[in-house]
Amino acid sequence: MEIALSVIKADIGGYVGHSESHPDLLAEADSCLAKVKRQGLLIDYHITKCGDDLQLIMTHQQGENNEQIHKLAWDTFVSCTALAKKLKLHGAGQDLLADAFSGNVKGMGPGVAEMTFEERGAETVIIFMADKTSSGAWNLPLYKMFADPFNTIGLVIAENMHKGFAFEVHDIKEGKKITFNAPEEIYDLLVFIGAPSRFMVKAVYHRVTKQIAAVSSTQRLSLIAGRYVGKDDPVCIVRSQGDFPAVGEVLEPFTVPILVEGWMRGSHNGPLMPVSIADSTPTRFDGPPRVVALGFQLSEGKLIGPRDMLADKSFDNARQKANDIADYMRAHGPFEPHRLPLEEMEYTTMPQVMKKLAKRFIALE
Ligand code: F6R
Ligand code: MG
Ligand code: MG
């Protein structure tokens, strides 16, 4: 049975500030999708949140980039925005960058990750969602899952993974894409994906079966809007077990709280802390950035689950480490590398301060 799995998300209002989603918004989204499920457009859905981002996880048979599915997500966000405005939540409707829907939510503000596949005998999927960071945050974890034998022992000792995976990388500044084969092209691959603010892993494929293994959202809000409008807060779908990395191999990268951009005002680097859905409440200095993971088994497209995968005790050390790194990074205050380099800061007063002081600058001898 061919199934499409769509994860479409948007920040349509924060509670309190940018720290969390109001439960009434999740309930509103649930009632919007329940109606459509009854009408048959969706096989199943699950509504969740990561920090201030509302997440719609949907299964259906309409394929990717389907207008009806995207319109459903857009209309749901519009309904939730009306409620967010009524509750005067912070930044109500902030990710809905267009006045009206025009065929596809891509480029209109919401983040999208979608894949279509033939459902396996046992179809394990893990959906990662992050808050207070940008789309490139998945580059390092995806590299570890699908190309690093120190993370994924299956690459070494499992016959069905030994030929490796192919990485589709997008250059979001130039609007181009390229595919690299791992393991033989990993040095070339790393030249690009090691610069995650520009080059992003969009998808990963099995080298032999050509099956889709992972897909991420690569929308960059600031590039779409031409100004800072909030962080991308990306999502990523990963298939697991069998021909793909085991659940434990998929989760292992998150034992290291890597540094990502997006903390406070989208202008600081900070550790990506793995947490449960309940703990995706970035409050300290509006962070530190969070990642959550929901696991499902699919059964004829029905979402069996979720299991809150990063709630597990084995991620306690990573959380502790993230808090320690957060203390260390915060000690730098307004200095780089805690603060992002000038050209990457989302907020800046530099032009105004420069203008005010222009006459006081004198040439060096
Ligand atoms: C970071 C983030 C927050 C806001 C900050 C200011 O991605 O969302 O740190 O940038 O709270 O928010 P505004 O400008 O909405 O008052
Ligand atoms: Mg927000
Ligand atoms: Mg957010």
Side-chain angles (χ1 to χ4, degrees):
M1 183 176 180
E2 181 145 284
I3 298 291
L5 174 57
S6 300
V7 182
I8 306 185
K9 51 81 46 183
D11 175 349
I12 38 97
Y15 157 76
V16 170
H18 292 276
S19 68
E20 167 69 307
S21 301
H22 194 284
D24 289 0
L25 261 54
L26 276 80
E28 174 68 15
D30 192 74
S31 79
C32 293
L33 295 200
K35 209 178 331 161
V36 177
K37 188 180 163 189
R38 281 195 297 275
Q39 292 161 358
L41 179 63
L42 295 180
I43 302 175
D44 205 359
Y45 69 89
H46 179 78
I47 308 283
T48 190
K49 62 100 192 179
C50 179
D52 59 4
D53 293 278
L54 179 61
Q55 310 278 349
L56 314 180
I57 300 169
M58 300 173 284
T59 52
H60 52 88
Q61 293 196 289
Q62 318 301 320
E64 293 154 44
N65 290 314
N66 177 269
E67 185 166 345
Q68 279 179 290
I69 297 293
H70 281 228
K71 182 164 188 327
L72 167 62
W74 181 264
D75 290 346
T76 302
F77 294 140
V78 169
S79 294
C80 292
T81 296
L83 181 58
K85 286 191 172 152
K86 207 165 117 202
L87 298 172
K88 292 187 75 175
L89 298 183
H90 187 67
Q94 77 167 44
D95 283 359
L96 303 188
L97 303 181
D99 294 329
F101 180 71
S102 61
N104 192 307
V105 292
K106 280 185 192 161
M108 298 177 75
V112 186
E114 295 182 290
M115 56 163 71
T116 309
F117 49 81
E118 193 63 39
E119 188 181 285
R120 294 171 292 166
E123 185 64 58
T124 306
V125 294
I126 298 182
I127 295 164
F128 291 97
M129 297 156 272
D131 191 29
K132 307 291 179 265
T133 188
S134 58
S135 305
W138 308 124
N139 283 10
L140 192 154
L142 286 171
Y143 175 81
K144 281 189 161 180
M145 285 175 218
F146 292 100
D148 180 4
F150 279 71
N151 180 89
T152 299
I153 184 61
L155 296 166
V156 181
I157 62 171
E159 172 67 28
N160 53 7
M161 278 202 277
H162 200 69
K163 293 229 160 40
F165 290 86
F167 287 71
E168 180 184 318
V169 174
H170 287 195
D171 174 347
I172 50 115
K173 288 221 168 103
E174 293 285 321
K176 290 180 180 162
K177 63 179 178 181
I178 179 170
T179 298
F180 295 97
N181 284 328
E184 60 271 36
E185 294 184 305
I186 58 170
Y187 297 161
D188 289 344
L189 170 68
L190 286 167
V191 170
F192 294 98
I193 67 170
S197 56
R198 173 162 173 189
F199 298 96
M200 293 166 195
V201 179
K202 176 66 191 172
V204 181
Y205 296 89
H206 193 279
R207 293 277 298 278
V208 179
T209 67
K210 313 291 180 208
Q211 286 225 56
I212 183 80
V215 70
S216 73
S217 61
T218 49
Q219 291 76 24
R220 281 219 75 172
L221 279 177
S222 55
L223 290 186
I224 295 168
R227 66 194 153 86
Y228 180 62
V229 283
K231 266 291 160 199
D232 314 325
D233 301 338
V235 292
C236 180
I237 306 172
V238 179
R239 296 173 79 193
S240 173
Q241 304 293 154
D243 286 350
F244 306 115
V247 164
E249 292 166 333
V250 171
L251 300 178
E252 183 68 8
F254 299 96
T255 56
V256 177
I258 58 166
L259 290 177
V260 294
E261 61 173 52
W263 198 357
M264 184 49 89
R265 297 179 185 273
S267 302
H268 294 79
N269 286 311
L272 185 62
M273 181 190 273
V275 290
S276 64
I277 299 283
D279 286 336
S280 66
T281 49
T283 44
R284 180 188 180 181
F285 200 54
D286 288 1
R290 306 294 156 108
V291 55
V292 298
L294 287 187
F296 297 92
Q297 293 293 140
L298 294 191
S299 174
E300 312 290 321
K302 284 215 154 315
L303 290 158
I304 310 301
R307 283 216 59 234
D308 193 344
M309 308 306 286
L310 295 175
D312 191 71
K313 287 195 173 318
S314 55
F315 292 90
D316 284 353
N317 278 358
R319 289 187 264 275
Q320 184 57 53
K321 213 184 285 179
N323 276 328
D324 292 342
I325 295 168
D327 284 341
Y328 175 71
M329 297 295 287
R330 284 297 303 126
H332 293 76
F335 284 79
E336 298 177 16
H338 181 29
R339 197 181 80 172
L340 295 185
L342 284 178
E343 61 281 5
E344 281 174 39
M345 271 198 306
E346 308 283 11
Y347 273 68
T348 182
T349 47
M350 183 64 112
Q352 295 94 303
V353 177
M354 263 300 192
K355 198 169 157 207
K356 185 178 75 185
L357 301 179
K359 291 206 176 95
R360 285 171 51 189
F361 275 96
I362 51 177
L364 293 173
E365 293 304 307

